Amino acid sequence: MYPLPFLGTFSHRPPPRIKNFQINNQIVKLKYCYTCKIFRPPRASHCSICDNCVERFDHHCPWVGNCVGKRNYRYFYLFILSLSLLTIYIFTFNIVYVALKSLKIGFLNTLKETPGTYPSTVLICFFTLWSVVGLTGFHTFLVALNQTTNEDVSRVFLFL
Ligand SMILES: [Zn+2]
Ligand SMILES: [Zn+2]
């Protein structure tokens, strides 16, 4: 079987660390991954936690316990976007609820009657808002520029 451009079995000696490949009439240097035994495609990176190379690697997410890359980036983005909208919704309507009830029975009585609404839920939402909405804003910025978190952090860009 003729080996694929990036894949191949090298049973005798390991191939060079870096090799030049021609992709879309451009010469691109590709690094060899000794763990996965492949020449890493452009924009791919090896994740030490998942122990494999990930195509269009974005980052390893400790919260979902998985890598975010080419095949799940859109689901990750939709997840944080819907989570942002849900947090904004809960935050807003909890405040609206407390405000409307306060008009009837007063603010302190509202806190006494529904302690779960204002102090806990609003506070949790307030702190979640900064991190989740901030993350969504950052990823919207990355999508607009066709960049990954990995490229943004390492300042290495490769466009083919
Ligand atoms: Zn690898
Ligand atoms: Zn990973």
Side-chain angles (χ1 to χ4, degrees), residues 12 15 19 43 88 103 126 156:
H12 302 296
K19 204 174 166 182
R43 308 185 85 183
I88 292 167
L103 288 176
F126 180 75
V156 173

Side-chain angles (χ1 to χ4, degrees), residues 11-101:
S11 51
H12 302 296
R13 62 191 167 97
R17 186 84 175 105
I18 292 172
K19 204 174 166 182
N20 287 330
F21 284 91
Q22 191 180 349
I23 302 171
N24 295 341
N25 291 325
Q26 250 182 297
I27 300 294
V28 182
K29 281 184 178 20
L30 296 187
K31 264 190 191 166
Y32 185 74
C33 179
Y34 290 105
T35 311
C36 306
K37 295 186 171 50
I38 55 162
F39 278 100
R40 231 171 262 153
R43 308 185 85 183
S45 188
H46 187 91
C47 174
S48 54
I49 301 159
C50 300
D51 202 32
N52 50 238
C53 279
V54 179
E55 238 189 314
R56 203 184 185 276
F57 177 78
D58 195 88
H59 68 288
H60 182 90
C61 177
W63 307 104
V64 297
N66 209 354
C67 259
V68 177
K70 185 182 180 178
R71 291 191 290 169
N72 62 0
Y73 186 78
R74 65 180 61 198
Y75 303 110
F76 170 77
Y77 183 73
L78 286 175
F79 169 62
I80 54 170
L81 184 68
S82 55
L83 194 61
S84 294
L85 296 176
L86 179 69
T87 313
I88 292 167
Y89 176 87
I90 295 171
F91 183 70
T92 310
F93 284 98
N94 267 295
I95 288 176
V96 169
Y97 175 81
V98 170
L100 290 177
K101 206 164 172 70

Side-chain angles (χ1 to χ4, degrees), residues 105-120:
I105 60 168
F107 185 64
L108 285 177
N109 284 333
T110 307
L111 291 190
K112 261 186 225 163
E113 219 173 83
T114 53
T117 311
Y118 189 75
S120 43

